[in-house]
Amino acid sequence: MIIVSKFWTNLFSFGKANAITIFPVIFLKYGYFKNNKALIRHERIHLRQALELGIVFFYLWYLLEFVIRFVPLRDFDKAYLRISFEREAYRHEEDSDYLSKRRTWAFWSYL
């Protein structure tokens, strides 16, 4: 499910993201992002990651990995881009076939 909501997108991403996935919903900051196939695919990769890890565990891992990366870097954007889940999603957001061929636990190779 996709919902356009600047409020929720800003709240969950501290105003930094154009989209965010809070299982099972993809929140988009603006309606025109519905046409951004790479962005939607990026968020769908996160949905798959959350399903295979278990929703609660996925978000706990995501936050823990962010903190672990943020402490030495002291840079929000750099820490975010080094999260394994984000690395996988960014790497494959342009590949329209990725989710059909993606292996379970694929994010593991991005740790």
Side-chain angles (χ1 to χ4, degrees), residues 96-111:
S96 61
D97 296 324
Y98 181 66
L99 284 171
S100 65
K101 62 186 178 187
R102 180 184 180 271
R103 291 186 168 178
T104 305
W105 300 84
F107 71 89
W108 194 259
S109 65
Y110 295 90
L111 284 172

Side-chain angles (χ1 to χ4, degrees), residues 1-15:
M1 172 189 319
I2 296 174
I3 295 176
V4 177
S5 173
K6 186 175 181 180
F7 173 79
W8 290 111
T9 305
N10 284 341
L11 178 70
F12 290 123
S13 73
F14 306 104

Side-chain angles (χ1 to χ4, degrees), residues 43-89:
E43 298 305 323
R44 286 188 173 147
I45 291 169
H46 290 321
L47 288 173
R48 182 74 59 86
Q49 294 163 338
L51 279 173
E52 65 191 26
L53 278 172
I55 298 157
V56 173
F57 191 62
F58 168 77
Y59 288 105
L60 289 174
W61 185 327
Y62 190 103
L63 289 172
L64 179 62
E65 191 172 343
F66 175 80
V67 170
I68 289 169
R69 306 226 184 258
F70 181 79
V71 168
L73 296 170
R74 296 285 182 212
D75 184 297
F76 185 97
D77 295 329
K78 286 181 183 177
Y80 160 78
L81 290 171
R82 290 200 173 109
I83 296 170
S84 59
F85 303 116
E86 294 300 339
R87 292 177 66 202
E88 178 189 6

Side-chain angles (χ1 to χ4, degrees), residues 6-31:
K6 186 175 181 180
F7 173 79
W8 290 111
T9 305
N10 284 341
L11 178 70
F12 290 123
S13 73
F14 306 104
K16 292 188 172 273
N18 291 321
I20 189 163
T21 297
I22 305 298
F23 192 89
V25 178
I26 297 171
F27 291 98
L28 301 176
K29 189 178 277 189
Y30 303 110

